[in-house]
Amino acid sequence: MVKLTPPMGWNSWNTFGENINEQMIFETADQLVDSGLAGKGYEYLVIDDCWSLKERGEDDRLVADPQKFPHGIKTVADYVHSKGLKFGMYSCAGNLTCAGYPGSFEHEFLDAETFASWGVDFLKYDYCYHSPIIHGKYLYRRMGLALQNCGRDILFSACSWGADQTHEWIKETGASMWRSTGDIFDTWESVKDLARQQEKLHPYNGVGCFNDMDMLIVGMHGKGNVGLAGCSDTQYKTHFSLWAFLGSPLMIGCDIRTMDEATLRILSNEEIIRINQDPACRQPVKLSGFCSDDNGLMYYRLLSNGDLALGIFNLGEHTIRPSINLDEMGLPLSTGKTLELHEVWTNERFTVTNATLSQTLEPFDCKIFRAKVVDR
Ligand code: GLA
């Protein structure tokens, strides 16, 4: 499977952890469609860890936990497909999954075949309990090859958290996305930390294999499996904007059956999704600009139609006023050109009149512009 733009969907882990079951998955599938999220591009519904029994069956195959999935996984996949969605599952390159269920080590081809027979379209592949002797690249090559030969188009979502220099070898395994960070938690510190961890990895992001900054915590408000202190709506908006702007897959992690309006509004912003899904998938470029506070982050990206996307983020608790020199993006005054901006959250529109653009940002807020090159 070659996926040309960052995958989008929903994953069970952040909110539900081991508390997953067929009914909840059915309701989530319904809600993905009814809320309009599927129409915005969130197409994969992924069941994470803890779906199987602790032992393989007599035929050595993985067995779904009958308490959680009484009608088996194929029934779940069929239901998800009947809603027009795609269906994802989870396994691990080690002997065990991170939560202690059987992993796919030395069962890669058998498990890929099992997933294919159930109608799986996406496999998240974790890295816990892996062999201390065999390098990760060989473990991911095995499953990558098994998926390519299982008779079904299954997106390979690698999850080795950036360990063992994942960026150097992950593309060769056939992965369409790879976890470039450790696990997310529902706190602002975690969002900040993951955004910073990405900085040196941006050059590795691009068409067909995307840096995965982990599932979104938008709308969790401290509830669920990785729910801790929770964040404010402004912080969730900035977290979403960062992930989308930086070209990460967008996998929702909250309980969408009970999400509030602010959450739905954040997840549904079409302009920021359009930047995330830009067909060129060019890497974000960090701008040095000028900001008196190191919590100010500025990025730009060249989009496929010649527009620029410009993201200005305030990760800190003080109001800041960063400045960006247009020269840094290829527009010195001598070109006679400037930028016409559209801010995707407020719909504010204006044209830059000077050589620099300065913007005031409230604590934890961000501004995301789509910018057109125009005559001065
Ligand atoms: C690891 C992964 C998480 C999640 C859990 C499940 O920690 O990084 O995203 O899949 O395992 O146990």
Side-chain angles (χ1 to χ4, degrees), residues 95-170:
N95 281 317
L96 297 173
T97 71
C98 296
Y101 294 79
S104 289
F105 181 59
E106 303 286 32
H107 294 80
E108 292 86 356
F109 280 78
L110 180 68
D111 289 354
E113 195 187 289
T114 304
F115 290 130
S117 73
W118 288 339
V120 169
D121 307 299
F122 176 116
L123 182 70
K124 173 172 169 180
Y125 204 51
D126 222 327
Y127 200 43
C128 287
Y129 301 105
H130 63 84
S131 160
I133 310 164
I134 308 174
H135 192 282
K137 65 183 166 193
Y138 299 113
L139 301 174
Y140 280 86
R141 279 180 196 174
R142 289 183 186 193
M143 187 48 104
L145 194 58
L147 291 175
Q148 294 286 327
N149 288 280
C150 70
R152 195 175 164 87
D153 210 0
I154 299 184
L155 187 153
F156 189 23
S157 166
C159 181
S160 59
W161 328 295
D164 301 329
Q165 308 294 321
T166 311
H167 58 280
E168 289 180 1
W169 46 265
I170 196 62

Side-chain angles (χ1 to χ4, degrees), residues 326 333 337-339 341 350-357 376:
L326 268 52
L333 278 173
K337 305 283 181 187
T338 187
L339 293 175
L341 301 181
F350 60 95
T351 301
V352 184
T353 48
N354 298 321
T356 55
L357 167 70
R376 244 182 213 283

Side-chain angles (χ1 to χ4, degrees), residues 3-301:
K3 181 81 176 73
L4 295 178
T5 56
M8 295 172 66
W10 178 92
N11 175 299
S12 60
W13 183 253
N14 279 2
T15 293
F16 296 96
E18 64 178 355
N19 298 316
I20 44 177
N21 62 68
E22 177 186 278
Q23 190 56 33
M24 180 276 284
I25 296 294
F26 287 175
E27 288 168 12
T28 300
D30 292 345
Q31 180 65 0
L32 262 177
V33 175
D34 296 346
S35 63
L37 288 169
K40 305 279 178 189
Y42 297 93
E43 58 178 339
Y44 288 98
L45 187 159
V46 182
I47 298 179
D48 208 283
D49 204 349
C50 310
W51 59 268
S52 76
L53 287 177
K54 290 262 166 113
E55 301 294 335
R56 288 177 175 267
E58 278 173 12
D59 54 2
D60 222 18
R61 287 184 190 255
L62 294 167
V63 185
D65 182 336
Q67 300 274 326
K68 296 173 180 171
F69 299 101
H71 302 96
I73 299 296
K74 174 96 173 55
T75 301
V76 180
D78 288 348
Y79 188 81
V80 171
H81 290 148
S82 77
K83 307 297 291 189
L85 301 167
K86 294 183 176 151
F87 178 60
M89 294 217 56
Y90 165 101
S91 189
C92 184
N95 281 317
L96 297 173
T97 71
C98 296
Y101 294 79
S104 289
F105 181 59
E106 303 286 32
H107 294 80
E108 292 86 356
F109 280 78
L110 180 68
D111 289 354
E113 195 187 289
T114 304
F115 290 130
S117 73
W118 288 339
V120 169
D121 307 299
F122 176 116
L123 182 70
K124 173 172 169 180
Y125 204 51
D126 222 327
Y127 200 43
C128 287
Y129 301 105
H130 63 84
S131 160
I133 310 164
I134 308 174
H135 192 282
K137 65 183 166 193
Y138 299 113
L139 301 174
Y140 280 86
R141 279 180 196 174
R142 289 183 186 193
M143 187 48 104
L145 194 58
L147 291 175
Q148 294 286 327
N149 288 280
C150 70
R152 195 175 164 87
D153 210 0
I154 299 184
L155 187 153
F156 189 23
S157 166
C159 181
S160 59
W161 328 295
D164 301 329
Q165 308 294 321
T166 311
H167 58 280
E168 289 180 1
W169 46 265
I170 196 62
K171 283 187 186 168
E172 72 209 22
T173 69
S176 294
M177 54 194 266
W178 63 285
R179 267 283 290 288
S180 48
T181 63
D183 284 13
I184 198 165
F185 293 93
D186 186 17
T187 65
W188 182 245
E189 281 311 309
S190 175
V191 168
K192 263 175 82 162
D193 188 35
L194 298 192
R196 296 280 191 205
Q197 282 181 33
Q198 275 303 289
E199 290 193 351
K200 49 188 181 314
L201 296 171
H202 294 312
Y204 300 94
N205 205 356
V207 174
C209 191
F210 301 97
N211 294 18
D212 173 10
M213 296 170 68
D214 205 357
M215 286 91 68
L216 300 163
I217 52 163
V218 179
M220 288 187 63
H221 293 295
K223 291 197 285 272
N225 188 40
V226 305
L228 292 172
C231 296
S232 67
D233 285 338
T234 300
Q235 290 171 334
Y236 285 138
K237 169 190 132 185
T238 296
H239 152 54
F240 183 73
S241 300
L242 268 165
W243 266 231
F245 193 93
L246 297 177
S248 176
L250 299 175
M251 302 299 288
I252 299 169
C254 69
D255 184 351
I256 57 172
R257 301 169 308 169
T258 56
M259 71 186 152
D260 56 23
E261 269 182 39
T263 300
L264 181 60
R265 210 176 322 119
I266 292 170
L267 295 171
S268 305
N269 185 302
E270 285 182 6
E271 276 300 302
I272 181 88
I273 292 175
R274 196 151 76 95
I275 291 170
N276 177 261
Q277 296 289 306
D278 185 77
C281 299
R282 292 198 204 287
Q283 69 202 52
V285 180
K286 194 169 181 209
L287 294 166
S288 39
F290 173 77
C291 187
S292 54
D293 183 322
D294 69 1
N295 280 307
L297 269 188
M298 293 161 269
Y299 281 101
Y300 94 96
R301 279 175 65 183

